[in-house]
């Protein structure tokens, strides 16, 4: 392989303090498919998605990860590149560098293509074994090769849309004066309650190495103790009889003590599977890393509230975890959440923020990912995806109470799988009925849910029956975000904690926020992968994150 | 407390799709301290940092978390606000809403102040118990009240600078066409090796509840089995003798089976402290959530490489973990890392990117956090912080090899605690000597380290002795970032894995990246809290993250 050329010889992208990465295909193509750049000499590095060889000409479908359509590279007979192609090393998956002039494309498929002079294979891909040949693969299969699947059209496009949704998230909140805060991932506080948690520990470190001592080894060591004990006994009697010295006895006693120590050592070292315990038999967590049982967080909200009660509006964007054994297309054991928290804010502010944030994300993606969305529309979503997204971004969200939502469902002519009555949770089928049929494909925010089906920290309404909670429902998916105004009244919050069977002592610091400078505040949570699924039309949440974690799987 | 007013009556910030949060003090003050806004009627919500009452006038130092200087609110005798103040409820820490006109400030301390007409206490703060009175607290003490410490000047300013550094990170990489990717937090792959890892498990879930059944309870249940067994025996004999029916025997046998089941249930439920084991005594991890031993990630790099080998330049920004028992001011058990990975890139590209990124972050913070940096300069850093930062941002970084670095240290007239010879790691004292003294306070990138002190995945140089690694050293701190070009040659990488005593099989997917479409790629890692410390001058890393985790502590 020839040495890499200096990147500075490549066409450079937009500069930031003099630094620039080589310009990528998406930027070269710009909004006109590259028509305005025709005539430029370029070098492009990427991977061959496919190679078609004709009699006097070859076509490489070149992709550098920056967009879905890539760049058509045309190689004519008689060039250096032609010889390389004919040697058979340019196969699907190979990394190549091509150099040539951008020319207008005679075919109607693209505005411009690269007429290649020079072609270098940087890294080949053996066509016999490379798993991603041109043919289509199921998403199920691709999950088993997660280290290669971002090279496919679908997962590549998901990666780009996911990136733009993440950046839109930061831009929206930063432009609105929110601070990004990092709430803790490992937590020893009992405050969350909701959802099963993973435990984080170093107690198993010594234990995992493997088998403990075999029962045979222990028995052998113990019989050695017994034999030595007998020897000591015999010698002691001999000493009494005058036929052995005290020094001889002491030497044998020392051997006995050593044999006993050997048994203890054998039992305690090596991979024993017994944990350190307290006198009552419970695990002794003072010996764990954090000196307490510690868990992976299920939500950054309570810590977000700490920050909002100090530095005003904040948002988190980080991983959260659920140890639920649910093998569904809607659940992950590890997923990313966006959780804004606003100070001096009520439920109306919360709904305004949620609506504006969702619209901002959608508009951003419509603007920056049109080609990828078009791909999803044709191949994945199987509906008019972009029109649906534009509908969400352009309409004012309807806002109704939970009580009204229940009335809508009860009045429906439709038959539902699950019955509804005031006080029960709305199921996905009810949520979709409301947003799709009652409100004709318009997003709906439902507020003021019964207190008994919502968390203790949500602000109690004056009716004493409902809380200031809200869920944002969207067509085709149902609930996408959920939030609430938080209970800021110390006495009410304490009562709600007790009524929920929780321990006030565990919440000492959360209560302190209500004790000193309390103010109404509100926030919501968005499961980021759900948003990715919603915007792309991808159905299985395991395809919305690069390396999904679920029961039985933490590979790659 | 009166109900909150609608936020729409407040002066609104910059609008995003019609949405806007109430304007905060930092924006009202703008670049001229608010001089250009004099005359405007405003409502501001925030917390009283202090209240000074004079004969005919009172001053509230009002802070809403958006900056460090807050807004001086002046209350004159005879107003509604004056009465509220005189009732004694406006104390340090109280949440208040003030309404009035922005006026030019007669004192020289600020350009404008708010002349208050109306004052409302939203949430009081009992001066007897509120831990954050006006007096100074040590950072050590503040760590014990992490739920209140972001309300202090220092930690509030750290929060704002940290936010701007995070946003600068996203802006820099997005503007340069990198995709933000989320690498996994929980990993079952053995590939990382470096650093002690936390284990993630659900195996302790059943065990943690507390004591197992007492030996007495088990003995009692077992004696019940024995008694029932005797009863069955007696009855069977009676049946043989014709004095009992088969039905009677069956009934007693059923009771016996139940008693046996009770013993098993007693032994298995309740908190037993024994883990599920295989026949050889090792822990049976097929029963754990991920069916394998699973850990918290120590780096997203290897997964980042997967993505870079598919979608081109990427960066991660997420939490990473070390279970090292190091109680120092430089280590956290949980910290955030920024890890870019560039495709088709060599060590020069890597150094260019690291230098440009650091300069971008520093320039961004100099532009957006001047008031906070001024505070750190006066109160924390104890040197000319901003001048030092400007120096880093404006100078070209020096670039030398490791071999040259060792020569510099060996030639020094200075005495060092640790000796240096070619092949040993550079210590912090050597790194500081090079950047501060040899290069006179100029950042230095050291490259081409001996292969034996660096990781297996770094690209072997042609000399066969060194690898294409680089560290960025800055004055006062030493190493801030470290990176490398990755070994892209399959055969060399396999040899390096073997030479390092690692198992090739564990790296099957990492090797696949070299098997199919391999190309030179490079990246680096930055410990985000180290950057926060560097930019603010804060010395203890536990003050650079809102809720620090370290041995014995995962509170809040």
């Amino acid at each position: 392989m020839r040495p890499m050329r200096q990147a500075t010889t490549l066409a450079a992208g937009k500069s930031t303090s003099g630094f620039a990465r080589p310009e990528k295909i998406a930027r070269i193509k710009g909004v006109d498919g590259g028509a305005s750049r025709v005539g430029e000499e370029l070098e492009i590095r990427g991977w061959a998605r496919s190679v078609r060889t004709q009699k006097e000409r070859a076509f490489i479908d070149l992709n550098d990860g920056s967009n879905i359509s890539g760049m058509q590279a045309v190689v004519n007979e008689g060039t250096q590149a032609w010889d390389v192609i004919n040697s058979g090393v340019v196969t699907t998956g190979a990394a190549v560098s091509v150099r040539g002039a951008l020319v207008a494309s005679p075919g109607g498929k693209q505005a411009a293509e690269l007429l290649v002079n020079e072609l270098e294979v940087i890294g080949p891909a053996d066509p016999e074994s490379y798993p991603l040949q041109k043919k289509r693969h199921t998403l199920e299969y691709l999950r088993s090769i997660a280290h290669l699947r971002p090279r496919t059209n679908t997962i590549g496009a998901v990666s780009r849309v996911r990136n733009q949704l993440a950046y839109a998230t930061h831009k929206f909140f930063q432009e609105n004066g929110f601070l990004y805060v990092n709430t803790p991932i490992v937590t020893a506080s009992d405050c969350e309650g909701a959802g099963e948690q993973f435990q984080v520990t170093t107690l198993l470190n010594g234990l995992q190495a493997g088998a403990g001592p075999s029962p045979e080894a222990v028995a052998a060591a113990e019989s050695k103790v017994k034999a030595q004990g007998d020897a000591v006994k015999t010698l002691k009697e001999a000493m009494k009889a005058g036929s052995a010295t005290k020094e001889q006895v002491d030497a044998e006693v020392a051997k006995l003590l050593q044999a006993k120590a050997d048994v203890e050592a054998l039992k305690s070292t090596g991979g024993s599977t017994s944990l350190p315990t307290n006198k009552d038999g419970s695990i002794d967590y003072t010996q764990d890393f954090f000196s307490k049982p510690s868990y992976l967080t299920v939500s950054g909200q309570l810590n977000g509230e700490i920050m909002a009660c100090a530095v005003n509006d904040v948002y988190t964007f980080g991983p959260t975890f659920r140890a639920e054994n649910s093998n569904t297309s809607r659940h992950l054991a590890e997923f990313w959440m966006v959780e804004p928290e606003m100070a001096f804010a009520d439920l109306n502010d919360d709904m305004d923020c949620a609506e504006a944030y969702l619209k901002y994300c959608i508009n951003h993606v419509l603007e920056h990912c049109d080609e990828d969305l078009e791909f999803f529309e044709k191949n994945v979503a199987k509906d008019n995806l972009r029109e649906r997204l534009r509908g969400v971004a352009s309409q004012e969200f309807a806002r109704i109470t939970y009580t009204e939502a229940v009335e809508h469902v009860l009045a429906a002519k439709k038959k539902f799988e699950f019955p509804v009555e005031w006080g029960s949770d709305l199921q996905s089928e009810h949520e979709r009925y409301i947003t799709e049929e009652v409100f004709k494909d318009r997003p709906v925010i439902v507020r003021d849910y019964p207190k008994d089906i919502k968390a203790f920290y949500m602000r109690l309404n004056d009716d004493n029956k409902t809380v200031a909670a809200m869920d944002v429902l969207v067509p085709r998916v149902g609930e996408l975000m959920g939030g609430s105004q938080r209970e800021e009244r110390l006495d009410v919050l304490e009562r709600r904690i007790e009524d929920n069977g929780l321990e006030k002592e565990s919440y000492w610091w959360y209560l302190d926020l209500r004790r000193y400078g309390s103010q109404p505040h509100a926030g919501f949570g968005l499961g980021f992968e759900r948003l990715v699924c919603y915007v792309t039309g991808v159905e299985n949440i395991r395809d919305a994150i690069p390396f999904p974690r679920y029961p039985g799987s933490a590979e790659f």
Side-chain angles (χ1 to χ4, degrees), chain A:
Chain A
M1 203 184 86
R2 290 187 296 166
M4 287 282 290
R5 285 192 202 83
Q6 289 290 323
T8 45
T9 67
L10 301 181
K14 189 179 152 191
S15 162
T16 305
S17 41
F19 169 75
R21 293 287 296 143
E23 199 175 17
K24 299 192 183 82
I25 293 172
R27 181 129 44 183
I28 293 168
K29 283 189 147 182
V31 289
D32 62 359
S36 58
R37 305 280 298 268
V38 162
E40 286 186 32
E41 277 289 323
L42 297 170
E43 179 177 346
I44 301 175
R45 292 165 182 166
W47 293 271
R49 279 286 173 87
S50 69
V51 185
R52 282 181 301 126
T53 312
Q54 296 177 354
K55 226 175 167 185
E56 301 169 333
R57 188 166 290 144
F59 300 92
I60 305 171
D61 175 7
L62 187 66
N63 194 293
D64 66 358
S66 67
N67 73 354
I68 209 157
S69 57
M71 175 71 79
Q72 172 150 289
V74 184
V75 176
N76 283 327
E77 198 183 359
T79 59
Q80 173 266 355
W82 179 256
D83 296 338
V84 176
I85 294 230
N86 274 328
S87 74
V89 290
V90 184
T91 56
T92 296
V96 300
S97 170
V98 294
R99 202 181 262 257
L102 201 65
V103 297
S105 182
K109 262 188 85 182
Q110 56 266 318
E113 59 190 26
L114 196 77
L115 191 60
V116 178
N117 297 321
E118 240 181 285
L119 167 62
E120 178 193 355
V121 174
I122 297 172
D126 176 14
E128 295 300 311
S129 62
Y130 185 53
L132 289 176
Q133 298 303 329
K134 181 76 188 166
K135 66 170 185 213
R136 275 204 180 214
H137 300 281
T138 65
L139 290 169
E140 287 72 22
Y141 169 69
L142 291 179
R143 268 170 237 141
S144 71
I145 49 166
H147 64 308
L148 299 175
R149 70 174 186 164
R151 303 177 181 196
T152 64
N153 278 338
T154 303
I155 304 298
V158 168
S159 306
R160 287 184 294 272
V161 171
R162 186 180 166 108
N163 168 67
Q164 289 297 347
L165 286 171
Y167 194 42
T169 297
H170 287 292
K171 277 173 65 82
F172 174 82
F173 289 112
Q174 294 289 338
E175 287 169 7
N176 281 294
F178 290 61
L179 297 192
Y180 176 57
V181 298
N182 292 124
T183 49
I185 311 302
V186 178
T187 172
S189 95
D190 298 332
C191 297
E192 312 196 345
E196 289 191 52
Q197 291 181 281
F198 288 103
Q199 199 159 346
V200 174
T201 184
T202 51
L203 287 183
L204 301 179
N205 278 1
L207 307 181
Q208 79 213 18
S214 70
E216 292 76 20
V218 174
E222 282 172 342
S223 77
K224 206 170 153 189
V225 169
K226 200 181 167 302
Q228 186 62 29
D230 290 344
V232 168
K233 213 167 158 188
T234 309
L235 208 63
K236 273 187 177 168
E237 276 160 17
M239 186 177 76
K240 272 185 201 161
S243 60
T245 65
K246 187 171 184 302
E247 284 69 34
Q248 283 176 308
V249 172
D250 285 351
E252 292 303 305
V253 168
K255 281 188 200 165
L256 175 62
L257 293 175
Q258 184 57 48
K260 283 182 175 171
D262 287 348
V263 170
E264 288 315 301
L266 185 66
K267 283 180 174 170
S268 68
T269 65
S272 151
T273 51
S274 60
L275 294 158
T277 51
N278 297 309
K279 275 195 180 152
D280 68 354
S282 60
I283 297 173
D284 178 10
Y285 279 108
T286 62
Q287 296 190 37
D288 207 350
F289 189 92
F290 296 110
S291 308
K292 268 189 179 186
S294 313
Y295 304 92
L296 290 180
T297 185
V298 298
S299 159
Q301 181 200 314
L302 305 196
N303 294 85
E305 286 187 52
I306 286 177
M307 298 307 288
C309 293
V311 293
N312 221 308
D313 305 337
V314 297
Y315 68 109
T316 72
F317 185 5
T320 53
F321 305 84
R322 293 279 190 292
E324 277 157 33
N325 206 349
S326 41
N327 247 314
T328 81
S329 64
R330 299 257 301 160
H331 295 90
L332 290 167
E334 172 181 317
F335 57 100
W336 287 67
M337 284 250 279
V338 177
E339 296 183 283
E341 188 73 33
M342 289 171 279
F344 303 98
D346 60 19
L347 192 66
N348 286 315
D349 300 317
D350 207 32
M351 294 190 291
D352 290 345
C353 183
E355 178 171 345
Y357 166 59
L358 182 58
K359 288 177 170 174
Y360 187 96
C361 283
I362 289 174
N363 280 323
H364 182 91
V365 169
L366 284 167
E367 188 182 334
H368 291 92
C369 302
D370 188 61
E371 200 188 67
D372 287 325
L373 292 181
E374 188 189 6
F375 169 83
F376 287 120
E377 197 170 282
K378 284 188 188 151
N379 300 282
V380 176
K382 288 153 199 157
D383 77 342
N384 200 334
L385 176 68
R386 286 174 293 179
E387 196 177 296
R388 176 158 55 86
L389 293 178
R390 275 184 220 110
V392 170
S394 61
Q395 288 179 77
E396 205 176 312
F397 292 8
R399 299 187 183 190
I400 62 175
T401 64
Y402 164 87
T403 302
E404 289 163 346
V406 169
E407 283 162 6
H408 281 301
V409 175
L410 290 175
K413 295 212 178 68
K414 198 172 176 158
K415 246 192 130 47
F416 296 101
E417 195 186 341
F418 297 96
V420 154
E421 58 173 359
W422 200 98
S424 66
D425 243 333
L426 296 179
Q427 301 295 323
S428 187
E429 56 175 343
H430 311 132
E431 293 173 341
R432 291 191 56 177
Y433 169 75
I434 291 166
T435 172
E436 289 166 19
E437 299 188 38
V438 179
F439 286 93
K440 314 238 173 291
D441 283 337
R442 184 176 159 203
V444 179
I445 307 183
V446 179
R447 58 178 288 171
D448 300 328
Y449 283 80
K451 67 176 178 183
D452 293 336
I453 57 170
K454 289 287 182 184
F456 75 90
Y457 52 72
M458 298 185 176
R459 192 180 195 278
L460 193 63
N461 286 327
D462 290 344
D463 63 12
N464 243 328
K465 281 163 49 189
T466 61
V467 289
M470 63 100 183
D471 280 353
V472 179
L473 316 181
V474 292
R476 243 188 88 137
V477 163
E479 188 201 325
L480 195 59
M481 300 187 262
S484 68
Q485 183 174 339
R486 320 307 186 185
E487 183 56 73
E488 89 282 10
R489 296 162 296 186
L490 181 62
D491 55 338
V492 181
L493 184 59
E494 288 183 323
R495 208 167 61 234
R496 294 272 291 148
I497 287 174
E498 280 163 15
D499 290 351
N500 278 269
L502 302 168
E503 278 176 40
K504 242 168 56 178
E505 292 67 30
S506 310
Y507 294 88
W508 69 273
W509 54 263
Y510 191 66
L511 290 167
D512 263 8
L513 304 180
R514 281 69 182 170
R515 208 167 263 130
Y516 307 116
S518 187
Q519 27 72 47
H521 55 284
F524 62 86
L526 166 93
F528 190 64
E529 284 74 21
R530 294 243 171 117
L531 177 64
V532 173
C533 284
Y534 179 64
V535 167
T536 59
V538 162
E539 284 196 348
N540 195 319
I541 202 160
R542 293 176 189 178
D543 302 322
I545 189 167
F547 307 98
R549 269 75 182 102
Y550 45 89
S553 183
E555 304 303 313
F556 303 103

